[in-house]
Amino acid sequence: MHAFQYDKIQKIGRHLSFRDYLRQNPEICKKYGELISKLADQYPTDIDGYGDGKDEFVRKIEEEALKWHWTIH
């Protein structure tokens, strides 16, 4: 779950595009799930390590998701 400040529309849009892209791409969604499970095991009490571990993957997929979003809308 995410909570956003009401005036952060762009950030909300990025998250929704990411979510929708994962829903449309089950293989990428599976890889993401595997990554976050591995990171949760590796960093059970280190939220920064967990976040840093998924950062590169999320940025790459977010970029793809935004391109995808604008091609369908």
Coordinates of all heavy atoms in Angstrom, one line a residue:
M1 N 0.8 -1.1 0.0 CA 0.0 0.0 0.0 C 0.9 1.2 0.0 O 2.0 1.2 0.6 CB -0.9 0.0 1.2 CG -1.6 1.3 1.3 SD -2.9 1.7 2.4 CE -2.9 0.9 3.8
H2 N 0.5 2.2 -0.7 CA 1.2 3.5 -0.8 C 0.2 4.6 -0.4 O -0.9 4.6 -0.7 CB 1.7 3.8 -2.2 CG 2.8 2.9 -2.6 ND1 4.1 2.9 -2.1 CD2 2.8 1.8 -3.5 CE1 4.8 2.0 -2.7 NE2 4.0 1.3 -3.5
A3 N 0.8 5.6 0.3 CA 0.0 6.9 0.5 C 0.8 8.0 -0.1 O 2.0 8.0 0.0 CB -0.1 7.1 2.0
F4 N 0.1 8.9 -0.7 CA 0.8 10.0 -1.4 C 0.1 11.4 -0.9 O -1.1 11.4 -0.6 CB 0.6 9.9 -2.9 CG 1.3 8.7 -3.5 CD1 0.6 7.6 -3.7 CD2 2.6 8.8 -3.8 CE1 1.2 6.5 -4.3 CE2 3.2 7.7 -4.3 CZ 2.5 6.5 -4.6
Q5 N 0.9 12.4 -0.9 CA 0.4 13.7 -0.7 C -0.5 14.1 -1.9 O -0.2 13.7 -3.0 CB 1.6 14.7 -0.6 CG 1.2 16.1 -0.1 CD 2.5 16.9 0.1 OE1 3.4 16.5 0.8 NE2 2.4 18.1 -0.4
Y6 N -1.5 14.8 -1.6 CA -2.6 15.0 -2.6 C -2.0 15.7 -3.9 O -2.6 15.6 -5.0 CB -3.7 15.8 -2.0 CG -3.4 17.3 -1.8 CD1 -3.6 18.3 -2.7 CD2 -2.8 17.7 -0.6 CE1 -3.3 19.6 -2.5 CE2 -2.4 19.0 -0.3 CZ -2.7 19.9 -1.2 OH -2.3 21.2 -1.0
D7 N -0.9 16.5 -3.8 CA -0.5 17.2 -4.9 C 0.7 16.5 -5.7 O 1.4 17.1 -6.4 CB 0.0 18.6 -4.5 CG 1.1 18.6 -3.5 OD1 1.4 17.6 -2.9 OD2 1.7 19.7 -3.3
K8 N 0.8 15.2 -5.5 CA 1.9 14.4 -6.1 C 1.3 13.6 -7.2 O 1.6 12.4 -7.3 CB 2.6 13.6 -5.1 CG 3.2 14.4 -4.0 CD 4.3 15.3 -4.5 CE 5.0 16.0 -3.3 NZ 5.9 17.0 -3.8
I9 N 0.5 14.2 -8.1 CA -0.1 13.4 -9.2 C 0.9 12.7 -10.1 O 0.6 11.5 -10.4 CB -1.0 14.4 -10.1 CG1 -2.1 15.0 -9.2 CG2 -1.5 13.7 -11.3 CD1 -3.1 14.0 -8.7
Q10 N 2.0 13.3 -10.4 CA 3.0 12.6 -11.3 C 3.5 11.4 -10.6 O 3.6 10.3 -11.3 CB 4.1 13.6 -11.6 CG 5.1 13.0 -12.6 CD 6.2 13.9 -12.9 OE1 6.5 14.9 -12.2 NE2 6.9 13.6 -14.0
K11 N 3.8 11.4 -9.4 CA 4.3 10.2 -8.6 C 3.2 9.1 -8.6 O 3.5 8.0 -8.8 CB 4.7 10.6 -7.2 CG 5.5 9.6 -6.5 CD 6.1 10.2 -5.2 CE 7.1 9.2 -4.7 NZ 7.7 9.7 -3.5
I12 N 2.0 9.5 -8.4 CA 0.9 8.6 -8.3 C 0.7 7.9 -9.7 O 0.6 6.7 -9.8 CB -0.4 9.3 -7.9 CG1 -0.4 9.8 -6.5 CG2 -1.6 8.3 -8.1 CD1 -1.5 10.7 -6.1
G13 N 0.8 8.7 -10.8 CA 0.7 8.2 -12.1 C 1.8 7.2 -12.4 O 1.6 6.1 -13.1
R14 N 3.0 7.4 -12.0 CA 4.1 6.5 -12.2 C 3.9 5.1 -11.5 O 4.1 4.1 -12.1 CB 5.5 7.1 -11.7 CG 6.0 8.1 -12.6 CD 7.5 8.5 -12.3 NE 8.0 8.1 -11.0 CZ 8.2 8.8 -9.9 NH1 7.8 10.1 -9.9 NH2 8.8 8.3 -8.9
H15 N 3.4 5.2 -10.3 CA 3.1 4.0 -9.5 C 1.9 3.2 -10.2 O 2.0 2.0 -10.3 CB 2.7 4.3 -8.1 CG 3.9 4.5 -7.2 ND1 4.5 3.5 -6.5 CD2 4.7 5.6 -7.1 CE1 5.5 4.0 -5.8 NE2 5.7 5.2 -6.2
L16 N 0.9 3.9 -10.6 CA -0.2 3.2 -11.3 C 0.2 2.6 -12.6 O -0.2 1.5 -13.0 CB -1.4 4.2 -11.5 CG -2.1 4.6 -10.2 CD1 -3.1 5.6 -10.5 CD2 -2.6 3.4 -9.4
S17 N 1.1 3.3 -13.4 CA 1.6 2.7 -14.6 C 2.4 1.5 -14.4 O 2.3 0.5 -15.1 CB 2.4 3.8 -15.4 OG 1.6 4.8 -15.8
F18 N 3.3 1.5 -13.3 CA 4.1 0.4 -13.0 C 3.2 -0.8 -12.6 O 3.3 -1.9 -13.1 CB 4.9 0.8 -11.8 CG 5.9 -0.3 -11.3 CD1 7.1 -0.4 -11.9 CD2 5.6 -1.2 -10.3 CE1 8.0 -1.4 -11.5 CE2 6.5 -2.1 -9.9 CZ 7.7 -2.3 -10.5
R19 N 2.2 -0.6 -11.8 CA 1.2 -1.6 -11.4 C 0.5 -2.2 -12.6 O 0.5 -3.4 -12.8 CB 0.2 -1.0 -10.4 CG -0.9 -2.1 -10.0 CD -2.2 -1.4 -9.6 NE -2.8 -0.7 -10.7 CZ -3.8 0.1 -10.5 NH1 -4.3 0.4 -9.3 NH2 -4.4 0.7 -11.6
D20 N 0.0 -1.4 -13.5 CA -0.7 -1.8 -14.6 C 0.2 -2.6 -15.6 O -0.3 -3.6 -16.2 CB -1.4 -0.7 -15.3 CG -2.5 0.0 -14.5 OD1 -3.0 -0.6 -13.5 OD2 -2.9 1.1 -14.9
Y21 N 1.4 -2.1 -15.7 CA 2.4 -2.8 -16.6 C 2.7 -4.2 -16.1 O 2.7 -5.2 -16.9 CB 3.6 -2.0 -16.7 CG 4.6 -2.5 -17.7 CD1 4.4 -2.3 -19.1 CD2 5.8 -3.1 -17.3 CE1 5.4 -2.8 -20.0 CE2 6.7 -3.6 -18.2 CZ 6.5 -3.4 -19.6 OH 7.4 -3.8 -20.5
L22 N 2.8 -4.3 -14.8 CA 3.1 -5.7 -14.2 C 1.9 -6.6 -14.4 O 2.0 -7.8 -14.7 CB 3.4 -5.6 -12.7 CG 4.7 -5.0 -12.3 CD1 4.8 -4.9 -10.8 CD2 5.9 -5.7 -12.9
R23 N 0.7 -6.0 -14.3 CA -0.5 -6.8 -14.6 C -0.6 -7.3 -16.0 O -1.2 -8.4 -16.3 CB -1.8 -6.0 -14.3 CG -2.0 -5.8 -12.8 CD -3.2 -4.9 -12.5 NE -3.5 -4.8 -11.1 CZ -4.4 -4.0 -10.6 NH1 -5.2 -3.3 -11.4 NH2 -4.6 -4.0 -9.3
Q24 N -0.1 -6.6 -16.9 CA -0.1 -7.0 -18.3 C 1.1 -7.8 -18.8 O 1.1 -8.3 -19.9 CB -0.2 -5.7 -19.2 CG -1.4 -4.9 -19.1 CD -2.7 -5.7 -19.5 OE1 -2.7 -6.3 -20.6 NE2 -3.7 -5.7 -18.7
N25 N 2.1 -8.0 -17.9 CA 3.3 -8.7 -18.2 C 3.6 -9.7 -17.1 O 4.4 -9.4 -16.3 CB 4.5 -7.7 -18.4 CG 4.2 -6.8 -19.6 OD1 4.5 -7.2 -20.8 ND2 3.7 -5.6 -19.4
P26 N 3.0 -10.8 -17.2 CA 3.1 -11.8 -16.1 C 4.6 -12.3 -15.8 O 4.9 -12.5 -14.7 CB 2.2 -13.0 -16.4 CG 1.5 -12.6 -17.7 CD 2.0 -11.3 -18.1
E27 N 5.4 -12.4 -16.9 CA 6.8 -12.8 -16.7 C 7.6 -11.7 -15.9 O 8.4 -12.1 -15.0 CB 7.4 -13.1 -18.0 CG 8.7 -13.8 -17.9 CD 8.6 -15.2 -17.1 OE1 7.6 -15.9 -17.3 OE2 9.6 -15.5 -16.4
I28 N 7.4 -10.5 -16.2 CA 8.1 -9.4 -15.5 C 7.5 -9.3 -14.1 O 8.3 -9.2 -13.1 CB 7.9 -8.1 -16.2 CG1 8.6 -8.1 -17.6 CG2 8.4 -6.9 -15.4 CD1 8.3 -6.9 -18.5
C29 N 6.2 -9.5 -13.9 CA 5.6 -9.5 -12.6 C 6.3 -10.7 -11.7 O 6.6 -10.5 -10.6 CB 4.1 -9.7 -12.7 SG 3.3 -9.6 -11.1
K30 N 6.4 -11.8 -12.3 CA 7.0 -13.0 -11.6 C 8.5 -12.6 -11.2 O 8.9 -12.9 -10.1 CB 7.0 -14.2 -12.5 CG 7.6 -15.4 -11.9 CD 7.6 -16.6 -12.8 CE 8.3 -17.8 -12.2 NZ 8.6 -18.8 -13.1
K31 N 9.2 -12.0 -12.1 CA 10.6 -11.6 -11.8 C 10.7 -10.6 -10.6 O 11.5 -10.7 -9.8 CB 11.3 -11.1 -13.0 CG 11.7 -12.1 -14.0 CD 12.3 -11.5 -15.3 CE 12.6 -12.6 -16.3 NZ 13.2 -12.0 -17.5
Y32 N 9.7 -9.7 -10.7 CA 9.7 -8.7 -9.6 C 9.3 -9.3 -8.3 O 10.0 -9.1 -7.3 CB 8.6 -7.6 -10.0 CG 8.5 -6.5 -8.9 CD1 9.6 -5.7 -8.6 CD2 7.3 -6.2 -8.3 CE1 9.5 -4.7 -7.7 CE2 7.2 -5.2 -7.4 CZ 8.3 -4.4 -7.1 OH 8.2 -3.4 -6.1
G33 N 8.4 -10.2 -8.3 CA 8.0 -11.0 -7.1 C 9.2 -11.8 -6.5 O 9.4 -11.8 -5.3
E34 N 9.9 -12.4 -7.4 CA 11.1 -13.2 -7.0 C 12.1 -12.3 -6.4 O 12.7 -12.6 -5.3 CB 11.6 -14.0 -8.1 CG 10.7 -15.1 -8.6 CD 11.1 -15.8 -9.9 OE1 12.0 -15.2 -10.6 OE2 10.5 -16.8 -10.3
L35 N 12.4 -11.1 -7.0 CA 13.3 -10.2 -6.5 C 13.0 -9.7 -5.1 O 13.8 -9.7 -4.2 CB 13.5 -9.0 -7.5 CG 14.4 -7.9 -7.0 CD1 15.9 -8.4 -6.8 CD2 14.4 -6.7 -8.0
I36 N 11.7 -9.2 -5.0 CA 11.4 -8.7 -3.7 C 11.3 -9.7 -2.6 O 11.6 -9.4 -1.4 CB 10.1 -7.8 -3.7 CG1 8.9 -8.6 -4.1 CG2 10.3 -6.6 -4.6 CD1 7.6 -7.8 -4.1
S37 N 11.0 -11.0 -2.9 CA 11.1 -12.0 -1.9 C 12.5 -12.3 -1.5 O 12.8 -12.4 -0.3 CB 10.5 -13.3 -2.5 OG 9.1 -13.2 -2.7
K38 N 13.4 -12.3 -2.5 CA 14.8 -12.5 -2.2 C 15.3 -11.4 -1.3 O 16.0 -11.6 -0.3 CB 15.6 -12.6 -3.5 CG 17.1 -12.7 -3.3 CD 17.8 -12.7 -4.6 CE 19.2 -12.2 -4.5 NZ 19.8 -11.7 -5.6
L39 N 15.0 -10.2 -1.6 CA 15.5 -9.0 -0.9 C 14.9 -9.0 0.5 O 15.5 -8.6 1.5 CB 15.1 -7.7 -1.6 CG 15.9 -7.5 -2.9 CD1 15.3 -6.3 -3.7 CD2 17.4 -7.3 -2.6
A40 N 13.6 -9.4 0.7 CA 13.0 -9.5 2.0 C 13.7 -10.5 2.9 O 13.9 -10.2 4.1 CB 11.5 -9.8 1.9
D41 N 14.1 -11.6 2.3 CA 14.9 -12.6 3.1 C 16.3 -12.0 3.4 O 16.8 -12.2 4.5 CB 15.1 -13.9 2.3 CG 13.8 -14.6 2.2 OD1 12.9 -14.4 3.0 OD2 13.7 -15.5 1.3
Q42 N 16.9 -11.3 2.4 CA 18.3 -10.8 2.6 C 18.3 -9.6 3.6 O 19.3 -9.5 4.3 CB 18.8 -10.4 1.2 CG 20.3 -10.1 1.2 CD 20.7 -9.8 -0.2 OE1 20.0 -10.0 -1.2 NE2 22.0 -9.3 -0.3
Y43 N 17.3 -8.8 3.6 CA 17.3 -7.6 4.4 C 16.0 -7.5 5.3 O 15.2 -6.6 5.1 CB 17.3 -6.3 3.5 CG 18.5 -6.3 2.6 CD1 18.4 -6.5 1.2 CD2 19.8 -5.9 3.1 CE1 19.5 -6.4 0.4 CE2 20.9 -5.8 2.3 CZ 20.7 -6.1 0.9 OH 21.8 -6.0 0.1
P44 N 15.9 -8.5 6.2 CA 14.6 -8.5 6.9 C 14.4 -7.3 7.9 O 13.2 -7.0 8.2 CB 14.7 -9.8 7.8 CG 16.2 -10.1 7.8 CD 16.8 -9.5 6.6
T45 N 15.5 -6.6 8.2 CA 15.3 -5.5 9.1 C 16.0 -4.2 8.6 O 16.2 -3.3 9.3 CB 15.9 -5.8 10.5 OG1 17.3 -6.1 10.4 CG2 15.2 -7.0 11.2
D46 N 16.3 -4.2 7.3 CA 17.0 -3.1 6.7 C 16.2 -2.6 5.5 O 16.4 -3.0 4.3 CB 18.4 -3.6 6.2 CG 19.2 -2.5 5.6 OD1 18.8 -1.4 5.5 OD2 20.3 -2.9 5.1
I47 N 15.3 -1.7 5.7 CA 14.4 -1.2 4.6 C 15.2 -0.5 3.6 O 14.9 -0.5 2.4 CB 13.3 -0.3 5.2 CG1 12.2 0.0 4.2 CG2 13.8 1.0 5.8 CD1 11.4 -1.2 3.7
D48 N 16.3 0.2 4.0 CA 17.2 0.9 3.0 C 17.9 -0.1 2.1 O 17.9 0.1 0.9 CB 18.2 1.8 3.7 CG 17.6 2.9 4.4 OD1 16.5 3.4 3.9 OD2 18.1 3.4 5.4
G49 N 18.4 -1.2 2.6 CA 19.0 -2.3 1.8 C 18.0 -2.9 0.9 O 18.3 -3.1 -0.3
Y50 N 16.8 -3.1 1.4 CA 15.7 -3.7 0.6 C 15.4 -2.8 -0.6 O 15.3 -3.2 -1.8 CB 14.5 -3.9 1.4 CG 13.3 -4.3 0.7 CD1 13.1 -5.7 0.3 CD2 12.3 -3.4 0.4 CE1 11.9 -6.0 -0.4 CE2 11.1 -3.8 -0.3 CZ 10.9 -5.1 -0.7 OH 9.8 -5.4 -1.4
G51 N 15.2 -1.5 -0.3 CA 14.9 -0.5 -1.3 C 16.0 -0.3 -2.3 O 15.8 -0.3 -3.5
D52 N 17.2 -0.3 -1.9 CA 18.4 -0.2 -2.8 C 18.5 -1.4 -3.7 O 18.8 -1.2 -4.8 CB 19.7 0.0 -2.0 CG 19.8 1.3 -1.3 OD1 19.0 2.3 -1.6 OD2 20.6 1.5 -0.4
G53 N 18.2 -2.5 -3.1 CA 18.3 -3.8 -3.9 C 17.3 -3.9 -5.1 O 17.6 -4.5 -6.1
K54 N 16.1 -3.2 -4.9 CA 15.2 -3.3 -6.0 C 15.2 -2.0 -6.9 O 14.5 -2.0 -7.9 CB 13.8 -3.6 -5.5 CG 13.1 -2.5 -4.7 CD 11.7 -2.9 -4.2 CE 11.0 -1.6 -3.7 NZ 9.6 -1.8 -3.6
D55 N 15.9 -1.0 -6.5 CA 15.9 0.3 -7.2 C 16.2 0.2 -8.7 O 15.4 0.7 -9.5 CB 16.9 1.2 -6.5 CG 16.8 2.6 -7.0 OD1 15.6 3.2 -7.0 OD2 17.8 3.2 -7.5
E56 N 17.2 -0.5 -9.1 CA 17.6 -0.6 -10.5 C 16.5 -1.3 -11.3 O 16.1 -0.8 -12.4 CB 18.9 -1.4 -10.7 CG 19.4 -1.4 -12.1 CD 20.7 -2.2 -12.3 OE1 21.4 -2.3 -11.3 OE2 21.0 -2.6 -13.4
F57 N 16.0 -2.4 -10.8 CA 14.9 -3.1 -11.5 C 13.7 -2.2 -11.6 O 13.1 -2.1 -12.7 CB 14.5 -4.4 -10.7 CG 13.5 -5.2 -11.4 CD1 13.8 -6.2 -12.2 CD2 12.1 -5.0 -11.1 CE1 12.8 -7.0 -12.8 CE2 11.2 -5.8 -11.7 CZ 11.5 -6.8 -12.6
V58 N 13.3 -1.6 -10.5 CA 12.1 -0.7 -10.6 C 12.2 0.4 -11.5 O 11.3 0.7 -12.3 CB 11.7 -0.2 -9.1 CG1 10.7 0.8 -9.2 CG2 11.3 -1.4 -8.3
R59 N 13.4 1.1 -11.6 CA 13.6 2.2 -12.5 C 13.5 1.7 -13.9 O 12.9 2.4 -14.8 CB 14.9 2.8 -12.2 CG 15.0 3.6 -11.0 CD 16.4 4.3 -10.8 NE 16.5 4.8 -9.5 CZ 16.3 6.1 -9.2 NH1 15.9 6.9 -10.1 NH2 16.5 6.5 -7.9
K60 N 14.1 0.6 -14.2 CA 14.0 0.0 -15.6 C 12.6 -0.3 -16.0 O 12.1 0.1 -17.1 CB 14.9 -1.2 -15.7 CG 14.9 -1.8 -17.1 CD 15.7 -3.1 -17.1 CE 15.7 -3.7 -18.5 NZ 14.8 -4.8 -18.6
I61 N 11.9 -1.0 -15.2 CA 10.5 -1.4 -15.5 C 9.6 -0.1 -15.5 O 8.7 0.0 -16.3 CB 10.0 -2.4 -14.5 CG1 10.9 -3.7 -14.6 CG2 8.5 -2.8 -14.7 CD1 11.0 -4.3 -16.0
E62 N 9.8 0.8 -14.6 CA 9.0 2.0 -14.6 C 9.2 2.8 -15.9 O 8.2 3.3 -16.4 CB 9.5 2.9 -13.4 CG 8.6 4.1 -13.3 CD 9.0 5.0 -12.1 OE1 10.0 5.7 -12.2 OE2 8.4 4.9 -11.0
E63 N 10.4 2.8 -16.4 CA 10.6 3.5 -17.7 C 9.8 2.8 -18.8 O 9.1 3.4 -19.6 CB 12.1 3.5 -18.0 CG 12.4 4.3 -19.3 CD 13.9 4.3 -19.6 OE1 14.7 4.3 -18.6 OE2 14.3 4.3 -20.8
E64 N 9.9 1.5 -18.8 CA 9.1 0.7 -19.8 C 7.6 0.9 -19.6 O 6.9 1.0 -20.6 CB 9.4 -0.8 -19.7 CG 10.8 -1.2 -20.1 CD 11.1 -2.7 -19.8 OE1 10.2 -3.5 -19.6 OE2 12.3 -3.0 -19.8
A65 N 7.2 0.9 -18.4 CA 5.8 1.1 -18.0 C 5.2 2.4 -18.5 O 4.1 2.5 -19.0 CB 5.6 0.9 -16.5
L66 N 6.0 3.5 -18.3 CA 5.5 4.8 -18.7 C 5.4 4.9 -20.3 O 4.5 5.4 -20.8 CB 6.5 5.9 -18.2 CG 6.4 6.1 -16.7 CD1 7.5 7.0 -16.2 CD2 5.0 6.6 -16.3
K67 N 6.4 4.3 -21.0 CA 6.3 4.2 -22.4 C 5.1 3.5 -22.9 O 4.3 3.9 -23.8 CB 7.6 3.6 -23.0 CG 8.8 4.5 -22.9 CD 10.0 3.8 -23.5 CE 11.3 4.6 -23.3 NZ 12.5 3.8 -23.7
W68 N 4.9 2.3 -22.3 CA 3.7 1.5 -22.5 C 2.4 2.2 -22.3 O 1.5 2.2 -23.1 CB 3.8 0.2 -21.7 CG 2.6 -0.6 -21.7 CD1 2.2 -1.5 -22.7 CD2 1.5 -0.6 -20.7 NE1 1.0 -2.1 -22.3 CE2 0.6 -1.6 -21.1 CE3 1.4 0.0 -19.5 CZ2 -0.6 -1.8 -20.3 CZ3 0.3 -0.2 -18.7 CH2 -0.7 -1.2 -19.2
H69 N 2.4 2.9 -21.1 CA 1.2 3.6 -20.8 C 0.8 4.7 -21.8 O -0.4 4.8 -22.2 CB 1.4 4.3 -19.4 CG 0.3 5.2 -19.0 ND1 -0.8 4.8 -18.4 CD2 0.1 6.6 -19.2 CE1 -1.7 5.8 -18.1 NE2 -1.1 6.9 -18.6
W70 N 1.8 5.4 -22.3 CA 1.5 6.4 -23.3 C 1.2 5.9 -24.7 O 0.5 6.6 -25.5 CB 2.6 7.5 -23.3 CG 2.6 8.3 -22.0 CD1 3.5 8.2 -21.1 CD2 1.6 9.2 -21.6 NE1 3.2 9.1 -20.0 CE2 2.0 9.6 -20.3 CE3 0.4 9.6 -22.1 CZ2 1.2 10.5 -19.6 CZ3 -0.4 10.5 -21.4 CH2 0.0 10.9 -20.1
T71 N 1.5 4.6 -24.9 CA 1.2 4.1 -26.2 C -0.3 3.6 -26.2 O -0.9 3.5 -27.3 CB 2.1 2.9 -26.7 OG1 2.0 1.9 -25.7 CG2 3.6 3.4 -26.8
I72 N -0.8 3.3 -25.1 CA -2.2 2.7 -25.0 C -3.2 3.8 -24.7 O -4.4 3.6 -24.8 CB -2.3 1.6 -24.0 CG1 -2.1 2.0 -22.6 CG2 -1.5 0.4 -24.4 CD1 -2.5 1.0 -21.6
H73 N -2.7 5.0 -24.3 CA -3.7 6.1 -23.9 C -3.6 7.2 -24.9 O -2.8 7.7 -25.5 CB -3.4 6.6 -22.5 CG -3.8 5.7 -21.5 ND1 -2.9 4.7 -20.9 CD2 -5.0 5.4 -20.9 CE1 -3.5 4.0 -20.0 NE2 -4.8 4.4 -20.0

